[in-house]
Structure formats: C-alpha cells, structure tokens
Amino acid sequence: MLKRLLLIGLLCVPVAAWAFFKPVRIIAPELAGVSCINDTLCLDDVSRSQEAAKLYEEALHFVDSSVGSIEHKPRVIFCSSDACSQSFGLGRRAGMTIGTFGIAISPRAWKPYYMRHEMIHHLQTERLGIIKAWNDPEWFTEGMAYSLSEDPRAQLSEPFEKYRTQFKGWYAGVGKERVWAEARYL
Ligand SMILES: [Zn+2]
C-alpha cells in the first residue's frame, strides 16, 4: 500500500508540493536541512562523513561484484538523528530507497548490510524500471535485499524471514545470470 501511495505521489503531485511529502525530500535533501558534501553523500552530521563514505563505497563494491553492476551511483542521505529520519518519513524503518532518486539511512542503519540492502533496492529499480520494481512481489524485492545483502540475522521478523526463504529457493533455481530476465515474469 505504501509503495502504491509513493508511486502515486511521485507521478501525480506537482513539483512544488513534493517538499511537503516527506519521502520525496530524498530528491531535494537540502530542503530538509541536511548537507550534501558531493553528488552522492548527504548527512545531517558532516563530522561523520568519513564513516558514511566508507559504508557507501563498501556497499557499492559489494553489490557491484556480487549482485549486479550499478549504472548510476545512488545519492544516500545518512541520518544521525531521529529528527533527520523523521523529516524523510522513515518512521520505524531502518532505511528507505525511493526509485533511483536516492536512499535515506536511519541512525541505527549505519551498518554494512543495511547499506547493501538499500543499494540492492536501487539496483532493482535500475534493472526493472520503477513501475515493475514497485509492483514486483515483496518476496522477490525484499527477499533479494535481505538474502543477497548477506544480512547476518539468523531469524528476521515475519514476513521477511518467509520472503528471504522463498527468494533463496527461487534464486537457486534461476541462477545469478538469469535473475533479471526471470524477474520480469514475476
Ligand atoms: Zn528492503
């Protein structure tokens, strides 16, 4: 449901109103009070730039080499405060990816596997297109993100554990080379 609302928001809301729709602030993060130190890295606490850059590069390299090559490097907003998280509408989520527009990371998501998880969502949109990626079943989109990010948690909260298991079974059958071609039929 949230995905549908976001899609409707992205497609229908006039540009001037976007800044009031929290997740869409990812497109123009400066309006939400964060500083962008380059095209891909924005933070509310710039003293943590090095730590953020390290997480970013590690995840980019990991996803590129073990999931699929990323065409356009995503912009990532690293939030150190809850106020920052809430200004992007993260709610209780650890991270959020809006199409290929950008990624927002909450204070608790400054971990390699969370960063990889969101970059995998970015890659899904690059490979499948925004409409297809958002309409694909969650066992595929979330299952892939949890599984291929090598999330170390032995047991995820449901329904994500179920999604991860279902994706693993599907992936074992189609193989890495055919994953995007097969995903188009889901
Ligand atoms: Zn996810």
Side-chain angles (χ1 to χ4, degrees):
M1 187 61 186
L2 179 66
K3 291 203 305 193
R4 291 251 155 74
L5 287 174
L6 286 173
L7 183 60
I8 291 164
L10 283 168
L11 296 176
C12 304
V13 177
V15 173
W18 281 19
F20 297 101
F21 183 56
K22 288 181 174 184
V24 179
R25 289 176 184 167
I26 285 176
I27 296 165
E30 290 92 342
L31 296 176
V34 301
S35 306
C36 295
I37 58 167
N38 57 40
D39 286 347
T40 56
L41 218 59
C42 305
L43 307 96
D44 60 337
D45 178 1
V46 289
S47 72
R48 298 182 73 189
S49 300
Q50 271 194 325
E51 187 186 350
K54 191 165 172 281
L55 278 167
Y56 186 105
E57 290 305 323
E58 189 275 345
L60 189 70
H61 180 72
F62 180 95
V63 174
D64 259 342
S65 57
S66 64
V67 186
S69 126
I70 288 177
E71 205 174 321
H72 299 289
K73 290 167 72 170
R75 166 182 273 176
V76 180
I77 297 145
F78 286 89
C79 285
S80 291
S81 67
D82 287 334
C84 171
S85 264
Q86 295 323 316
S87 77
F88 288 97
L90 276 163
R92 292 174 60 231
R93 284 180 291 258
M96 181 168 60
T97 301
I98 303 290
T100 52
F101 296 110
I103 295 168
I105 290 291
S106 76
R108 71 184 162 92
W110 289 55
K111 294 191 173 84
Y113 60 92
Y114 277 124
M115 189 70 261
R116 296 176 208 151
H117 179 118
E118 297 304 327
M119 281 211 191
I120 290 170
H121 284 318
H122 172 86
L123 178 66
Q124 289 167 344
T125 309
E126 278 196 345
R127 295 298 178 98
L128 301 169
I130 193 164
I131 308 280
K132 176 68 180 147
W134 281 12
N135 281 297
D136 261 344
E138 282 199 309
W139 70 259
F140 171 76
T141 53
E142 290 304 332
M144 173 191 264
Y146 280 105
S147 171
L148 300 187
S149 65
E150 295 184 4
D151 192 308
R153 286 169 286 185
Q155 188 76 33
L156 300 167
S157 61
E158 291 298 356
F160 300 107
E161 186 58 37
K162 197 175 73 192
Y163 293 161
R164 178 164 65 175
T165 304
Q166 189 173 350
F167 174 79
K168 278 183 179 173
W170 178 85
Y171 191 65
V174 301
K176 186 182 170 188
E177 301 309 319
R178 291 203 45 77
V179 64
W180 303 110
E182 292 294 330
R184 298 197 171 274
Y185 299 113
L186 295 175

